[in-house]
Amino acid sequence: ILIINVFLAFLFLGGCDVSSNDDIANECYSKLIEALNSNDLTKIESLFAKNIVNNINDFENQTIRLLDYYQGESVSYKKYSIGITEDKDKKIYAKYFNMSLDITTTEEIYRIATIWYVDDTNDNNNIGIWSLYIIKFSNDLYPEKAYGGDGLWTNGIHIGKK
């Protein structure tokens, strides 16, 4: 009983992080939706991994095109299951989510897919979105399935890829 009480005290006093993958994904979704709703280039850019932003020559133009494409303000969203990949190679730990969601705005329904790194013990500049695909729901070839862009997962922002 003493061991259980010590563990519970440790847990409730903040001794460990109990955020689930679903909680982390929901936080990522919320940040993305907020940034899109604000139509703020800086907020969008801040969600991407610094290494990705720094290695794409036209990243600012990609962001401007995204903000031009995304119209309205979010009224609801539907998330699909998240794919989680963890790599514990050579004492380096990296974790990313392959996430997909549909966002209904006051103007349109959009499908978004991302590769979003949530942890990398080797390089914090890898944390953030690596790849973001967006398409209007009406243009998706497979609306009954979770959106996955063109399946190539190229770094940066990709609009209208089927």
Side-chain angles (χ1 to χ4, degrees), residues 92-123:
I92 295 170
Y93 176 76
K95 178 179 182 178
Y96 69 86
F97 295 164
N98 178 333
M99 302 188 300
S100 179
L101 72 153
D102 294 344
I103 301 174
T104 300
T105 72
T106 53
E107 305 287 327
E108 186 69 65
I109 301 173
Y110 297 95
R111 309 199 83 198
I112 295 177
T114 63
I115 296 291
W116 196 316
Y117 273 75
V118 295
D119 200 0
D120 186 333
T121 60
N122 187 49
D123 188 348

Side-chain angles (χ1 to χ4, degrees), residues 11 19 22 24 26 38 46 48 54 60 62 66 69 75 89 103 106 111-112 122 125 130 139-140 146 149 155:
L11 182 68
S19 294
D22 199 46
I24 295 167
N26 286 335
S38 71
S46 73
F48 280 79
N54 293 336
E60 185 173 331
Q62 288 183 11
L66 170 64
Y69 186 77
V75 291
D89 188 31
I103 301 174
T106 53
R111 309 199 83 198
I112 295 177
N122 187 49
N125 290 323
W130 282 38
N139 294 334
D140 191 4
N155 294 341

